[in-house]
Amino acid sequence: MGCYDCCMRCLGGVPYCSLVATLLCFSGIALFCGCGHQALTETERLIETYFARNLQDYITLAYIIQYFQYVIYGLASFFFLYCIVLLAEGFYTTSAAKQTFGEFRSTMCGRCLSSSFIVMTYVLAVLWLLVFAFSALPVYFFYNMDATCHTIDVLTETPASINQLCVDARQYGLLPWNAVPGKACGMTLSTVCRTREYQMTYNLYIAAFIGAGINLLALLTYTVSTTYNFAVLRYLGRKGIGARC
């Protein structure tokens, strides 16, 4: 066998769908976890500076933010390992389905393992869909805040009506109802929107939302590729090609 034939045979066993899904998963989870972690830190700083004067008013929010940051650490570690395992499983199923390496065949244990990964990935995709929806909430909050600031900039010639335009963090459950001031109005709100902290936090939440979408796409790609490979392995097993464990 020539060098070209050998290379083409090895490339034939590469699970390209799983490889693309792994790259999407790594980039998506890195974007979501990195930007989400920093966005939570900046959110706490914004609330502390402009919406709450008393530590007791936002101490609960600070604990929740810290809890979510620990969750982000766990998510990053879990998906890094899980994507590597799925990529290895993709190499196994693709090589077994295409019978790339001679005696390397599908086994009953291998098919059971593949079916387990299909179920786990499907469940993770459904759960991550909820995370994707949840990550849209801060983007919605900052979008409303940005729209209100834009309205204030348009109505700068009528200061009486400007003072009636407010963003109340208490309405979104970020602060208790007895928090002081709990909201920003008029030119104060416009000043907040011009700060570097606000712009960076808004962009970080958008990036985290995009990262969650990329990771959801990766999980769906994993589900499709593993399901297809499992179907091929079952077909080969029925023909008697696969070996039993």
Side-chain angles (χ1 to χ4, degrees):
M1 182 181 297
C3 181
Y4 175 79
D5 294 332
C6 183
C7 290
M8 293 304 297
R9 187 177 184 184
C10 291
L11 290 176
V14 175
Y16 293 103
C17 290
S18 296
L19 186 60
V20 170
T22 301
L23 295 177
L24 288 175
C25 184
F26 283 165
S27 58
I29 205 65
L31 197 62
F32 174 78
C33 293
C35 294
H37 183 278
Q38 187 61 32
L40 290 172
T41 302
E42 296 297 330
T43 300
E44 182 180 359
R45 191 174 303 167
L46 284 174
I47 294 295
E48 178 184 0
T49 305
Y50 299 104
F51 292 92
R53 297 171 183 169
N54 190 355
L55 176 63
Q56 299 301 322
D57 291 337
Y58 66 90
I59 189 66
T60 302
L61 177 65
Y63 283 133
I64 293 175
I65 287 176
Q66 187 179 19
Y67 170 77
F68 275 116
Q69 287 177 334
Y70 284 128
V71 171
I72 285 175
Y73 296 147
L75 284 175
S77 302
F78 171 77
F79 274 100
F80 178 77
L81 295 175
Y82 189 70
C83 288
I84 292 178
V85 172
L86 284 181
L87 180 61
E89 194 271 343
F91 271 101
Y92 163 74
T93 53
T94 301
S95 299
K98 295 184 177 181
Q99 303 175 27
T100 306
F101 299 108
E103 296 300 323
F104 186 54
R105 296 289 190 269
S106 166
T107 64
M108 183 63 69
C109 292
R111 291 195 293 273
C112 291
L113 187 63
S114 298
S115 62
S116 300
F117 278 123
I118 292 173
V119 174
M120 290 177 59
T121 308
Y122 179 80
V123 172
L124 282 175
V126 173
L127 294 177
W128 195 259
L129 183 61
L130 300 178
V131 175
F132 177 66
F134 180 77
S135 64
L137 295 180
V139 177
Y140 173 75
F141 170 76
F142 277 90
Y143 173 79
N144 286 340
M145 190 172 175
D146 189 68
T148 305
C149 291
H150 178 71
T151 304
I152 292 174
D153 293 337
V154 173
L155 301 176
T156 51
E157 298 180 356
T158 55
S161 60
I162 287 176
N163 292 329
Q164 298 177 0
L165 297 175
C166 302
V167 170
D168 196 337
R170 297 169 297 187
Q171 292 181 341
Y172 295 91
L174 299 177
L175 294 173
W177 283 105
N178 59 353
V180 178
K183 63 181 180 179
C185 302
M187 295 308 298
T188 302
L189 178 61
S190 180
T191 302
V192 174
C193 292
R194 292 192 185 100
T195 60
R196 172 183 169 274
E197 292 82 3
Y198 169 80
Q199 295 295 333
M200 182 173 65
T201 305
Y202 189 15
N203 292 330
L204 285 172
Y205 275 123
I206 293 176
F209 177 71
I210 294 173
I214 293 174
N215 194 50
L216 179 62
L217 178 62
L219 289 174
L220 294 177
T221 306
Y222 273 131
T223 304
V224 172
S225 62
T226 52
T227 304
Y228 171 78
N229 286 333
F230 176 74
V232 173
L233 291 180
R234 286 200 64 184
Y235 174 74
L236 295 177
R238 289 178 179 178
K239 293 178 63 177
I241 298 177
R244 292 186 175 273
C245 182

